[in-house]
């Protein structure tokens, strides 16, 4: 990680009796895109507002570039925000919106013309300078908001759910554009989102927040492949949870007894001992599904037998729900070859599931209710 | 074709109403200004320009000047007081806001005359305000609070303030206060945000408030009559005098016409200003409206 430019130190914030942020500490590296990810109500927006100076924490400090800015008002911080609804000034033109920060800072005319023009060009809005926000599309408005925030060359750009108001295609386009803009200006982006795909695709580091606490900080791959607990495992991507007891330890591996399953051989990354309780997270794509019994060549390969309950064909891959005794396992099969040539696995077929012991991950903490995150929402 | 005919038919009743009960009487008032008066205080049967010529008697220009400055200053004061009130009203919690709005509106339930008399009691030489101020030495013993221009100004501001608050509040309530956060985020102080973002956003409502207050303020008659002294006469008083004391209807008509012109002039001026400066806004509005439909 590069040098840290922004630090949250033991931030606690209460609204009435409700603790919105509970002793949150984070380090944001200079020049990176850092995401605060979590479901609504997890405190991520409050943390962003504390960073922007719109809320003050009950406890803790915000350090920007080595200086304590906890008690500075928003207009005295070298931090700019792209608000969720953009908050463009409706009575001003695009040009005046972008130039606002420069005028307030007392820049001379020449600087204003040069800088405002530069950032309007950066967000590809040249030619729209005389329009008012009401005449722009959602994507254009957002780009005005970005240019307006960047024009003062802040040390950090805060983005509060910037893509939430856009439709899917535009969202993907803006993600790429945000990444491009980030590469050009090179400042730190602090990105708040509830959408794990957004966060995964754009971030250098992600802090996953839940109920006012940071559950885990890491890069996207770490979060996906090595989730600390069942919340991360279920919130980032999709997974299967299994709980069991360590039967025996064999070097770096161990054997786990799970109800109704043959004993599973998995990598013992938490160094558990015989008799310990264990919770495993196994991602759907880590299973390989076949209608014939696969040959086992490795000592740490596991095999399960089950019956297909559901098949959802999605083009690039197919998702199966496979019943193994009391367990319903989610499995994803990538179609590497022409799918029409493959022998299709259908509903009610007896199948074999194979997975390598290295591909199961032991969770530090498991909470039953996190399984709800895996369920489809109620209609 | 049929549509516009329908619109004309629908607006016909109100057009007729305006014509018969507004335009025609106004025209008659203008007309009376050029008639002679008869011995019984009615309208004579000859045409004359004397009334208009004699209008500008000595001391009359002072009345016009006083009318204009009291009207303009009371309007300005009302707006200056109303804007921060509207701003805070819009930011208040709904519960508190309803209470304050009630407090602003409740005085309307009391008769206007009674409210002015309340002021007479309040500002009375023996009233609590003067005696307290004298007691704590803020004003000398001989200061009169009542029967002067300042009393008129105070009561005018008191009377017209709600008319200024309500339209500005209506606009402030629709204002997105997140914009002030955005202004602050971009480096603006609270005051800069207020001046460069809040005020321009509600500027139309301020114009409305100016109209709503200035027009009745220029025509004020009861307030200077009751709390003003002989030196704080306004046009309205002169008209009342001509009708009730001098029994000179042509003179009253001429004065009314003059007042009407005084009222209409700023109105015309403002419309012209709006037409010149506000052109872009309206264009934009019609364009966005077109885009939406």
């Amino acid at each position: 990680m590069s040098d840290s430019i922004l630090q949250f130190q033991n931030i606690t914030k209460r609204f009435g009796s409700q603790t919105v942020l509970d002793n949150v500490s984070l380090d944001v590296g200079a020049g990176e895109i850092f995401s605060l990810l979590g479901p609504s109500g997890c405190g991520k927006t409050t943390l962003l507002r504390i960073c922007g100076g719109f809320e003050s924490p009950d406890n803790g400090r915000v350090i920007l570039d080595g200086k304590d800015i906890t008690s500075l008002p928003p207009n005295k911080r070298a931090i700019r925000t792209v608000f969720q609804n953009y908050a463009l000034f409706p009575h001003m033109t695009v040009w005046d919106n972008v130039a606002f920060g420069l005028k307030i800072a007392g820049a001379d005319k020449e600087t204003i013309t040069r800088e405002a023009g530069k950032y309007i060009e950066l967000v590809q809005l040249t030619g729209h300078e005389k329009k008012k926000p009401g005449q722009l599309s959602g994507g254009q408005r957002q780009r005005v908001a970005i240019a307006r925030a960047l024009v003062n060359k802040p040390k950090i750009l805060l983005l509060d759910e910037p893509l939430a108001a856009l439709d899917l295609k535009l969202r993907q386009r803006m993600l790429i554009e945000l990444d491009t803009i980030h590469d050009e200006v090179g400042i730190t982006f602090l990105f708040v989102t509830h959408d794990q795909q957004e966060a995964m695709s754009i971030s250098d580091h992600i802090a996953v927040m839940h109920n006012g606490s940071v559950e885990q900080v890491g890069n996207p791959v770490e979060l996906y492949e090595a989730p600390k607990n069942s919340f991360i495992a279920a919130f980032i991507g999709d997974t299967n949870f299994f709980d069991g007891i360590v039967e025996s330890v064999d070097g770096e591996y161990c054997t786990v007894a799970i109800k109704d399953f043959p004993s599973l051989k998995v990598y013992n990354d938490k160094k558990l001992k015989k008799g310990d309780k264990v919770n495993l997270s196994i991602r759907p794509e880590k299973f390989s599904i076949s209608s014939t019994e696969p040959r086992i060549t490795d000592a740490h390969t596991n095999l399960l037998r089950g019956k297909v309950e559901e098949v959802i064909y999605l083009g690039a891959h197919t998702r199966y729900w496979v019943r193994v005794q009391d367990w319903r396992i989610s499995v994803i099969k990538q179609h590497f070859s022409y799918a029409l040539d493959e022998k299709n696995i259908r509903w009610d077929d007896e199948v074999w599931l194979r997975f390598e012991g290295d591909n199961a991950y032991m969770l530090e903490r498991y909470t039953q209710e996190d399984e709800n995150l895996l369920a489809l929402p109620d209609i | 074709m049929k549509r516009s005919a329908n619109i004309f038919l629908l607006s016909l009743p109100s057009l007729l109403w305006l014509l018969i009960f507004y335009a025609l009487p106004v025209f008659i008032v203008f007309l009376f200004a050029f008639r002679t008066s008869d011995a019984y205080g009615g309208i004579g049967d000859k045409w004359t320009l004397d009334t208009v010529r004699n209008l500008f008697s000595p001391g009359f220009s002072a009345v016009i000047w006083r009318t204009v400055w009291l009207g303009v200053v009371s309007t300005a004061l009302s707006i200056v007081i109303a804007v921060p009130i509207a701003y805070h009203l819009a930011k208040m919690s709904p519960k508190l806001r309803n209470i304050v709005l009630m407090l602003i509106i409740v005085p309307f339930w009391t008769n206007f005359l009674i409210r002015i008399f309340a002021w007479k009691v309040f500002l009375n030489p023996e009233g609590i305000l003067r005696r307290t101020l004298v007691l704590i030495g803020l004003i000398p013993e001989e200061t009169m609070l009542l029967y002067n221009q300042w009393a008129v100004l105070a009561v005018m501001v008191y009377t017209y303030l709600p008319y200024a608050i309500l339209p500005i509040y209506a606009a402030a309530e629709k204002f997105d206060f997140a914009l002030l956060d955005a202004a602050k985020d971009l480096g603006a102080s609270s005051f800069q945000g207020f001046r460069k973002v809040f005020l321009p956003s509600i500027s139309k409502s301020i114009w409305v408030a100016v109209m709503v207050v200035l027009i009745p303020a220029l025509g004020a008659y009861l307030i200077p009559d009751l709390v003003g002294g002989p030196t704080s006469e306004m046009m309205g008083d002169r008209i009342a005098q001509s009708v009730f004391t001098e029994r000179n209807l042509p003179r009253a008509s001429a004065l009314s016409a003059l007042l009407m012109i005084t009222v209409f002039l700023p109105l015309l001026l403002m419309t012209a200003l709006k037409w010149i400066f506000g052109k872009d806004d309206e264009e934009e509005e019609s364009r966005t409206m077109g885009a939406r439909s």
Side-chain angles (χ1 to χ4, degrees):
Chain A
M1 203 209 254
S2 41
D3 297 337
S4 118
I5 185 158
L6 177 73
Q7 288 167 291
F8 296 102
Q9 296 178 344
N10 310 96
I11 301 280
T12 297
K13 176 76 184 172
R14 291 177 208 89
F15 289 124
S17 61
Q18 195 194 359
T19 304
V20 183
L21 291 171
D22 188 9
N23 201 19
V24 169
S25 296
L26 280 177
D27 265 14
V28 180
E32 67 175 347
I33 298 184
F34 192 101
S35 289
L36 299 173
L37 172 66
S40 58
C42 71
K44 56 189 191 300
T45 299
T46 307
L47 191 61
L48 191 86
R49 286 180 66 79
I50 285 174
C51 185
F54 301 108
E55 307 277 356
S56 55
D58 297 324
N59 247 322
R61 302 195 303 164
V62 184
I63 310 287
L64 174 66
D65 214 2
K67 284 181 213 76
D68 187 340
I69 59 162
T70 317
S71 52
L72 283 185
N75 49 330
K76 298 272 190 282
R77 299 181 179 204
I79 294 176
R80 295 288 181 263
T81 310
V82 175
F83 293 88
Q84 187 168 358
N85 302 316
Y86 316 139
L88 299 179
F89 304 128
H91 59 285
M92 294 184 197
T93 60
V94 168
W95 179 271
D96 288 336
N97 263 286
V98 174
F100 186 85
L102 295 167
K103 284 181 189 161
I104 292 289
D108 57 72
K109 235 180 181 150
E110 197 186 317
T111 314
I112 292 175
T113 313
R114 189 183 64 238
E115 291 298 304
K118 184 175 125 193
Y119 283 96
I120 285 174
E121 199 187 318
L122 175 72
V123 297
Q124 296 167 34
L125 279 175
T126 313
H128 298 279
E129 291 91 342
K130 292 215 158 54
K131 288 188 184 164
K132 297 222 175 142
Q135 297 163 266
L136 300 176
S137 70
Q140 288 172 327
R141 266 181 239 177
Q142 163 154 69
R143 283 183 276 163
V144 176
I146 294 169
R148 183 179 74 171
L150 286 173
V151 82
N152 279 97
K153 299 196 177 64
K155 287 181 177 151
I156 293 182
L157 184 70
L158 308 179
L159 299 116
D160 184 8
E161 299 265 7
L163 308 177
L166 306 176
D167 58 44
L168 183 67
K169 285 271 179 195
L170 201 52
R171 207 146 64 208
Q172 290 168 345
R173 162 94 197 273
M174 278 313 295
L175 264 180
I176 297 168
E177 209 161 305
L178 270 177
D179 209 13
T180 315
I181 290 171
H182 176 256
D183 288 346
E184 292 223 5
V185 296
I187 64 165
T188 311
F189 281 23
L190 187 59
F191 187 89
V192 158
T193 180
H194 67 277
D195 185 319
Q196 47 107 358
Q197 285 190 5
E198 262 175 43
M200 296 278 275
S201 52
I202 200 172
S203 314
D204 297 307
H205 285 93
I206 301 173
V208 183
M209 296 183 66
H210 185 39
N211 290 337
S213 304
V214 174
E215 299 275 357
Q216 187 174 358
V217 185
N219 65 39
V221 179
E222 284 166 359
L223 289 176
Y224 187 79
E225 299 291 359
K228 258 190 176 162
N229 55 47
S230 55
F231 174 76
I232 308 275
F235 190 70
I236 310 263
D238 215 341
T239 194
N240 298 285
F241 291 127
F242 301 98
D243 61 317
I245 288 170
V246 177
E247 239 175 13
S248 64
V249 181
D250 172 22
E252 291 195 297
Y253 291 81
C254 66
T255 311
V256 175
I258 292 168
K259 191 172 147 273
D260 301 331
F261 276 16
S263 298
L264 300 182
K265 283 150 273 179
V266 299
Y267 181 65
N268 188 3
D269 69 309
K270 298 288 186 295
K271 306 276 176 272
L272 297 178
K273 290 184 285 296
K274 189 182 167 189
D276 284 349
K277 281 183 70 177
V278 61
N279 287 292
L280 296 177
S281 158
I282 307 174
R283 300 282 187 192
E285 74 281 4
K286 303 290 194 272
F287 289 99
S288 67
I289 186 169
S290 58
S291 43
T292 53
E293 183 171 358
R295 275 197 325 153
I296 296 181
T297 51
D298 192 287
H300 305 118
T301 302
N302 300 286
L303 215 51
L304 300 169
R305 275 214 86 174
K307 195 174 177 185
V308 175
E309 280 199 338
E310 203 84 64
V311 181
I312 303 168
Y313 175 69
L314 291 160
H317 61 261
T318 302
R319 176 185 290 268
Y320 301 93
W321 292 98
V322 179
R323 170 71 59 186
V324 180
Q325 307 290 350
D326 266 356
W327 304 86
R328 201 168 184 252
I329 302 176
S330 164
V331 175
I332 281 176
K333 180 184 165 66
Q334 280 281 310
H335 297 298
F336 301 108
S337 54
Y338 192 60
L340 281 176
D341 291 344
E342 288 175 21
K343 185 182 178 300
N344 286 325
I345 295 164
R346 293 171 194 282
W347 185 65
D348 260 2
D349 280 0
E350 293 279 335
V351 290
W352 297 87
L353 297 179
R354 197 190 74 176
F355 79 94
E356 305 302 324
D358 292 312
N359 291 340
Y361 194 79
M362 291 177 167
L363 302 171
E364 274 172 20
R365 198 176 74 236
Y366 169 82
T367 316
Q368 180 83 46
E369 66 191 51
D370 290 333
E371 287 208 27
N372 296 337
L373 291 167
L374 297 173
L376 295 171
D378 288 332
I379 300 168
Chain B
M1 202 51 207
K2 202 170 166 244
R3 215 177 106 96
S4 58
N6 278 344
I7 287 172
F8 177 73
L9 272 178
L10 277 171
S11 55
L12 197 61
S14 32
L15 264 177
L16 280 176
W17 178 276
L18 269 177
L19 206 69
I20 295 169
F21 295 107
Y22 182 73
L24 205 62
V26 166
F27 179 71
I28 292 172
V29 167
F30 271 79
L31 217 60
F32 279 180
F34 300 99
R35 300 292 286 217
T36 53
S37 61
D38 68 12
Y40 308 102
I43 301 293
D45 48 9
K46 289 200 187 70
W47 295 98
T48 174
L49 280 172
D50 287 352
T51 328
V52 179
R53 232 178 264 142
N54 295 335
L55 214 51
F56 297 94
S57 54
F60 186 67
S61 59
V63 175
I64 295 183
W65 169 240
R66 195 179 301 122
T67 305
V68 170
W69 93 254
L70 275 172
V72 169
V73 171
S74 63
T75 305
L77 278 176
S78 299
I79 303 287
V80 167
I81 300 169
V83 168
I85 291 178
Y87 173 88
H88 288 291
L89 262 175
K91 281 191 89 170
M92 268 174 200
S93 70
K95 220 171 143 188
L96 190 62
R97 179 196 301 162
N98 285 339
I99 294 170
V100 177
L101 272 175
M102 268 304 263
L103 289 176
I104 292 169
I105 293 166
V106 152
F108 283 108
W109 296 355
T110 314
N111 186 285
F112 181 46
L113 265 177
I114 292 175
R115 281 187 282 144
I116 298 183
F117 273 100
W119 271 93
K120 285 187 83 155
V121 174
F122 183 56
L123 297 176
N124 199 279
E126 297 305 311
I128 185 158
L129 182 66
R130 198 191 77 97
R131 290 205 351 223
T132 314
L133 288 177
V134 170
L135 205 72
I136 58 176
L138 267 177
I139 53 170
E141 176 66 41
E142 65 276 10
T143 310
M144 281 287 280
L145 294 179
L146 203 53
Y147 306 123
N148 57 38
Q149 295 185 29
W150 306 110
V152 176
L153 188 65
V155 178
M156 275 172 87
V157 171
Y158 158 80
T159 308
Y160 299 122
L161 189 57
Y163 297 104
I165 292 175
L166 293 178
I168 298 176
Y169 161 67
E173 200 220 344
K174 290 193 200 86
F175 178 75
D176 177 8
F177 281 91
L179 294 180
L180 292 184
D181 272 356
K184 253 191 197 170
D185 186 76
L186 293 166
S189 64
S190 296
F191 179 70
Q192 279 173 319
F194 179 83
R195 199 167 59 86
K196 298 201 168 180
V197 176
F198 180 73
L199 279 187
S201 298
I202 60 152
S203 62
K204 274 184 188 167
S205 74
I206 292 181
W207 285 115
V208 171
V210 167
M211 300 266 195
V212 168
V213 174
L214 184 63
I215 291 168
L218 286 174
Y221 142 67
L222 264 179
I223 299 169
D225 197 43
L226 293 176
V227 300
T231 55
S232 43
E233 251 187 333
M234 287 173 72
M235 292 263 275
D237 298 290
R238 279 285 166 103
I239 297 169
Q241 259 176 38
S242 306
V243 176
F244 299 121
T245 319
E246 298 165 14
R247 309 285 287 163
N248 188 342
L249 279 186
R251 186 174 164 77
S253 296
L255 284 169
S256 300
L258 185 67
L259 180 61
M260 225 177 294
I261 291 165
T262 330
V263 170
F264 269 110
L265 263 177
L267 206 108
L268 274 173
L269 199 74
M270 238 180 266
T271 320
L273 281 177
K274 251 181 133 180
W275 190 73
I276 295 165
F277 292 111
K279 223 175 178 180
D280 296 338
D281 283 358
E282 272 158 43
E283 259 172 39
E284 180 227 341
E285 250 163 51
S286 60
R287 242 180 288 155
T288 44
M289 296 250 291
R292 262 180 224 139
S293 59

